[in-house]
């Protein structure tokens, strides 16, 4: 077994000039929301008190893989500034994070990095939202839904497993689960491409856009009319 400390390599080098802040968080609890989706609770190690919180705020977590560290981004879930606690949700779909999270137990620690970020709702407010993503983006989607309040929204979520459809979504209405097909093909298929440009009345938020141009998604034709969002 090697005694070498895993290194961040090129990824860590890139973050240094960006003035990223490093913290160590400690696992305090775990909850399996489904066989393929896990929520871990953490003592946040001060990261919540050093910067203002905002919707969809996220961190980079560093996972060891042999002698290297790999970073993955995760949205903060239920951050509590007073208690300095936060939850992170993991969609277990393979990879270094999916190997680490199921084995994590209270007392385990992991290094995280925080970059400066912000969030503002558009002015004037959009007439409606279409939000598209998979279970890995569910925490960001839930955070966005909470931030937009009562604004009309339709949410299309990709399910890799049947039990994904039982995961908690911030809204009960207007949510459509789509079975995964060829890494996102079911979400962007159908031949009806909706492109967000300028100040169109319908906003598309593609939290995850597999194999598709940035700022566009394939959606059913009826969604091209904002009146259909209710």
């Amino acid at each position: 077994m090697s005694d070498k400390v895993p290194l961040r390599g090129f990824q860590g080098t890139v973050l240094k000039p960006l003035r990223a802040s490093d913290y160590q968080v400690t696992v305090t609890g775990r909850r399996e929301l489904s066989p393929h989706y896990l929520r871990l609770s953490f003592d946040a190690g001060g990261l919540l008190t050093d910067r203002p919180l905002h919707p969809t705020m996220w961190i980079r977590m560093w996972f060891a893989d042999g002698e290297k560290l790999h970073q993955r981004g995760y949205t903060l879930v239920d951050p509590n500034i007073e208690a300095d606690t936060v939850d992170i949700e993991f969609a277990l779909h393979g990879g270094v994070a999916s190997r680490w999270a199921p084995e994590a137990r209270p007392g385990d620690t992991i290094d995280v990095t925080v970059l400066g970020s912000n969030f503002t709702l558009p002015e004037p407010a959009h007439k409606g939202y279409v939000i598209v993503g998979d279970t890995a983006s569910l925490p960001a989607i839930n955070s966005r839904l909470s931030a937009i309040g009562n604004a009309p929204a339709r949410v299309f979520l990709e399910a890799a497993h049947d039990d994904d459809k039982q995961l908690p979504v911030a809204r009960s209405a207007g949510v459509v689960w789509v079975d995964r097909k060829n890494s996102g093909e079911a979400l962007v298929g159908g031949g009806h491409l909706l492109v967000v440009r300028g100040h169109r009345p319908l906003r598309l938020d593609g939290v995850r856009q597999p194999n598709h141009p940035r700022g566009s998604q394939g959606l059913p034709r009826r969604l091209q009319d904002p009146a259909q969002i209710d």
Side-chain angles (χ1 to χ4, degrees):
M1 179 180 298
S2 174
D3 293 329
K4 292 183 179 180
V5 177
L7 300 176
R8 296 186 180 185
F10 178 75
Q11 295 177 338
T13 301
V14 170
L15 293 175
K16 285 184 178 180
L18 299 179
R19 297 182 179 179
S21 299
D22 292 325
Y23 300 87
Q24 187 176 83
V25 298
T26 304
V27 178
T28 59
R30 53 183 285 121
R31 179 185 175 194
E32 292 185 1
L33 301 187
S34 84
H36 305 97
Y37 200 88
L38 176 66
R39 175 183 289 188
L40 295 181
S41 299
F42 294 89
D43 180 298
L47 74 85
L48 299 180
T49 59
D50 288 350
R51 64 198 66 250
L53 289 176
H54 60 77
T56 70
M57 185 171 175
W58 61 283
I59 60 176
R60 300 172 188 267
M61 305 184 74
W62 294 92
F63 301 94
D65 184 18
E67 296 180 358
K68 293 183 179 181
L69 289 170
H70 299 276
Q71 58 88 16
R72 299 290 186 268
Y74 289 90
T75 301
L76 303 183
V77 177
D78 295 335
N80 185 319
I81 298 176
E82 289 74 19
D84 196 30
T85 59
V86 67
D87 290 349
I88 299 293
E89 293 179 351
F90 297 83
L92 305 178
H93 48 55
V96 292
S98 293
R99 292 194 294 269
W100 178 86
E103 300 299 323
R105 294 294 184 270
D108 290 349
T109 61
I110 189 168
D111 293 335
V112 306
T113 298
V114 185
L115 288 171
S117 60
N118 57 65
F119 177 93
T120 56
L121 289 173
E123 291 291 344
H126 293 296
K127 293 183 178 180
Y129 291 78
V130 175
I131 302 177
V132 181
D134 61 2
T135 55
S137 58
L138 184 57
I141 289 173
N142 282 334
S143 183
R144 170 60 65 91
L145 287 173
S146 298
I148 65 176
N150 295 323
R154 292 294 300 275
V155 181
F156 291 82
L157 291 168
E158 183 184 61
H161 311 278
D162 286 340
D163 50 67
D164 288 344
K165 301 173 185 178
Q166 306 305 315
L167 294 173
V169 183
R171 292 192 182 188
S172 57
V175 178
V176 177
W177 284 95
V178 179
D179 290 328
R180 175 172 293 176
K181 179 182 178 183
N182 297 333
S183 299
E185 180 180 312
L187 280 179
V188 300
H192 305 302
L193 187 63
L194 180 65
V195 180
V196 179
R197 301 177 187 272
H199 297 284
R200 291 187 58 167
L202 177 61
R203 179 176 178 84
L204 173 68
D205 283 316
V207 179
R208 177 174 183 259
Q209 301 181 10
N211 304 321
H212 222 282
R214 185 175 182 179
S216 64
Q217 284 283 357
L219 295 167
R221 186 182 300 278
R222 68 182 183 280
L223 293 179
Q224 298 186 30
D225 179 1
Q228 297 293 330
I229 304 181
D230 52 28

